[in-house]
Amino acid sequence: MDCLIDHIVIDVRDRLAEGADTWRRLGFQLTPMGKHSLGSANHLMILGRDYLELLGTDVPGGALRPDIASFPVGLNGLVFRGYESEALAAEQQARGVPVQPAVAFHRPADLPDGSRQDAKFKTVRLDRSAGFDGRIYWCEHLTPEHVWRPEWQAHPNGALGVARILLSVRDPERQAALFRRMFGAEAVSAGADGRMLLQAGEAVVEAAPHAAVAAELGAAAPDPAGRGDYMAVLGLKVRDLAETGSALRINGVAFAEAPGRLRVPATEAMNTTVDFMA
């Protein structure tokens, strides 16, 4: 089956306003706050073919949705593009993937003409014990026109789409075995330093040993905050690195430059290491 990134989730818990301010400083345009029928709140950063989601509650100190309540601030959700969710769930169960039944939900969406309709979704989630210490699921968009709107897709930092996700794990082969069951053996390959690579359209998901991730990131790494295996890096393709660097400097965001990449440490981005990539 096709393997494509739909979106990436950054948990902000009850710090949604702070998270929105932080990611605006990183040069993103955010959608208005949305409230899910499941009880959570979010802001989105809509890219060309995928998007980023800041997820939590809009009430400081308020109760969090039960399925996200135990996770710390930082990268948490690896979300693939879904379709015909009930059939997808049945197919994955037949492959031996521990998925839960499809769940339907919605949130209000304000339209350009001033009217309001519901943005509707279905998700198929994996049992949280199946992979890294975070959430893996598919998202089916029943109303994609309420998400990918042209006026939301232009960002001062020139971000175009998700290019790389780096998972820091104890056993890359365990994660690779799950991905093979989900998407087929041909979707996964071996990389350097014990890494396993999942090709997800134009993006790559890397599962690398903790030691290799620590060596790559150094002080830019996120705080695991009690997690065992976790999402460590969000890599984004941008239109022009000089443009991105200018947007970051204007907002006083610290970053490190390397050939073909600008790296923002996790301390600047809600416990998320962000790579802007040429």
Side-chain angles (χ1 to χ4, degrees), residues 15 24 58 77 118 121-122 127 140 159 184 199 201 211 214 226 233 244 247:
R15 298 161 59 187
R24 288 190 187 100
D58 62 322
D118 282 340
F121 316 88
K122 288 185 179 180
D127 185 279
E140 177 185 2
Q199 196 64 43
V233 173
T244 305

Side-chain angles (χ1 to χ4, degrees), residues 19-262:
D21 288 343
T22 296
W23 286 74
R24 288 190 187 100
R25 285 183 63 241
L26 292 172
F28 291 97
Q29 176 187 190
L30 272 63
T31 63
M33 184 182 67
K35 294 188 177 182
H36 296 126
S37 57
L38 297 176
S40 46
N42 70 357
H43 287 284
L44 307 181
M45 292 159 271
I46 308 299
L47 305 170
R49 59 184 181 270
D50 41 44
Y51 62 93
L52 312 178
E53 178 181 21
L54 301 179
L55 180 66
T57 174
D58 62 322
V59 181
L64 290 161
R65 214 172 75 194
D67 60 311
I68 61 174
S70 64
F71 293 108
V73 168
L75 284 169
N76 176 45
L78 175 60
V79 189
F80 297 101
R81 182 69 51 83
Y83 61 92
E84 298 179 352
S85 293
E86 288 78 10
L88 186 152
E91 176 188 358
Q92 290 296 319
Q93 288 170 351
R95 290 171 177 252
V97 179
V99 297
Q100 301 169 356
V103 174
F105 63 100
H106 62 272
R107 61 169 173 78
D110 292 323
L111 304 187
D113 64 5
S115 64
R116 172 173 284 194
Q117 295 185 17
D118 282 340
K120 300 178 181 180
F121 316 88
K122 288 185 179 180
T123 58
V124 176
R125 303 175 185 170
L126 270 67
D127 185 279
R128 65 173 292 177
S129 65
F132 63 89
D133 194 2
R135 297 188 302 141
I136 303 175
Y137 59 100
W138 285 268
C139 182
E140 177 185 2
H141 290 265
L142 304 179
T143 54
E145 68 276 12
H146 296 337
V147 175
W148 280 276
R149 284 170 37 181
E151 68 269 27
W152 290 339
Q153 291 177 290
H155 302 278
N157 61 21
L160 300 175
V162 176
R164 182 193 187 210
I165 297 296
L166 177 60
L167 308 177
S168 184
V169 300
R170 288 159 288 191
D171 183 359
E173 176 53 37
R174 175 178 179 268
Q175 188 67 65
L178 174 63
F179 288 149
R180 291 189 194 101
R181 290 199 301 276
M182 292 168 66
F183 299 110
E186 68 282 355
V188 180
S189 60
D193 303 323
R195 298 168 190 250
M196 301 302 293
L197 312 178
L198 170 69
Q199 196 64 43
E202 298 180 36
V204 63
V205 179
E206 300 179 33
H210 289 320
V213 174
E216 177 183 342
L217 300 185
D223 178 4
R227 295 170 293 178
D229 300 341
Y230 59 95
M231 297 174 73
V233 173
L234 167 64
L236 299 166
K237 182 174 177 57
V238 299
R239 185 169 46 243
D240 180 80
L241 281 179
E243 176 187 7
T244 305
S246 177
L248 295 174
R249 291 186 187 95
I250 287 172
N251 292 327
V253 176
F255 63 92
E257 299 186 57
R261 186 197 72 212
L262 305 179

